[in-house]
Structure formats: C-alpha cells, structure tokens
Amino acid sequence: TDQAYDTKMILSKELEILKALSFNIGKPIALNFLRRNSKAGYVGVRHHTLAKYILEESLTNYPLASVKPSEKAAAALLISLKILDPSLSLKDLWSPNLTFYSGYSLTDLMATASALSKCLLQAPNSKYTAAYDKYNSSSKSHVSRLPELHEETLKSFTTES
C-alpha cells in the first residue's frame, strides 16, 4: 500500500472481505481426504504413498478433472490396497470403517477406480513423467513402478465397472 494505510486498517479490510465470503476461501483437495481415509483404514506408509502417487498421476488426466476430490482419494486408496494386497478381495480391503469415513461404498468407487487404473496403465509411456519420476525414488519406495508390476490387477478394475 506504499504506507497509504496502516496495519490496523489493512487487517480490518481483510476481515471485512473474509466475512463477505463467509470465510469460504478454499476447498479441500484430494490429499486432504486421502489423509483422513488412510487414518480411518489404518493403512501403512507404503499404501498411503502409493495412493498419493495415483492422485498425482491423475492430475494430468482430463477425464478425471471433474471427479470429486473425496471420491478420487477413496478410489486411489482402494487401488493402493489391492495392489499391495492382491490376494484379498475388494470387499475385504474396503472395510466398513473406510466406507463410513470416506462416505463411499465399494460400488460407488468402481467407475473412478477404473478411470484411475487406465491412467496408471498409461503412465509409464505418458509424455507427462513428473509424478512417475518423483515416485520412482528410494525415498518414495519406488511406488510408481508397482502399478506396472500389477498390470492384471489394474486391468481387473477396468473390466469390473
């Protein structure tokens, strides 16, 4: 303000703006929901990291842009659970606790899980490699390579919906 207003006047105007907006200045992103779901599902760091990779990989996928962040986070966690525990059924993996806290049943998530799976299947050959490269490091347990190793698991999501 080039000293045209003092600190008190600026803070007063900021408060006025916030009140006019009903303090509604941002919406939660998928990662916020993933943190909640990971805690509700008592999942390990590797599951959570893989789900984060799935979410980041989806950012460049236009068909997934309109999916609610909460739904995308839940579907990413579901895929992560299945990739890291392929012998368990989806019903066993998606616990009642996860259904309650995420707000999504297994049936609700299948279409989004299918779209995310298609995205993951294309990731190694995509022209957008930032997420793949970021999660292909030792600090991230090389989780971006896991979907390639579990291609059949991902394909099962694309045929179930």
Side-chain angles (χ1 to χ4, degrees):
T1 64
D2 200 27
Q3 308 304 326
Y5 303 97
D6 64 17
T7 304
K8 204 172 198 176
M9 293 170 77
I10 293 171
L11 290 173
S12 174
K13 185 51 79 175
E14 285 179 353
L15 184 59
E16 188 179 322
I17 292 168
L18 286 170
K19 284 180 180 177
L21 295 173
S22 301
F23 290 87
N24 189 6
I25 57 173
K27 295 183 179 188
I29 60 173
L31 187 57
N32 301 124
F33 292 103
L34 178 61
R35 284 186 194 117
R36 175 181 168 89
N37 296 343
S38 292
K39 287 179 182 177
Y42 305 104
V43 302
V45 173
R46 198 157 188 227
H47 287 91
H48 183 76
T49 303
L50 178 55
K52 280 174 51 177
Y53 163 64
I54 294 167
L55 289 175
E56 284 192 38
E57 195 63 63
S58 75
L59 291 174
T60 58
N61 190 292
Y62 186 72
L64 287 162
S66 62
V67 177
K68 293 178 186 175
S70 58
E71 184 177 342
K72 201 183 303 184
L77 185 58
L78 175 64
I79 293 169
S80 170
L81 291 168
K82 184 64 177 173
I83 286 175
L84 293 172
D85 294 312
S87 62
L88 295 175
S89 72
L90 292 176
K91 289 178 183 174
D92 291 335
L93 291 168
W94 199 251
S95 68
N97 215 34
L98 281 168
T99 299
F100 178 79
Y101 284 102
S102 73
Y104 295 100
S105 70
L106 196 52
T107 307
D108 297 335
L109 297 175
M110 292 315 292
T112 302
S114 174
L116 285 170
S117 294
K118 288 175 187 170
C119 178
L120 287 173
L121 289 167
Q122 297 166 354
N125 303 317
S126 173
K127 65 180 180 177
Y128 306 110
T129 62
Y132 185 86
D133 294 341
K134 175 182 175 181
Y135 286 88
N136 189 18
S137 65
S138 58
S139 66
K140 304 283 187 199
S141 302
H142 299 280
V143 295
S144 65
R145 285 195 268 164
L146 291 172
E148 292 174 59
L149 300 174
H150 296 276
E151 190 174 328
E152 290 306 311
T153 300
L154 292 174
K155 286 182 178 176
S156 72
F157 278 105
T158 63
T159 57
E160 287 180 25
S161 62

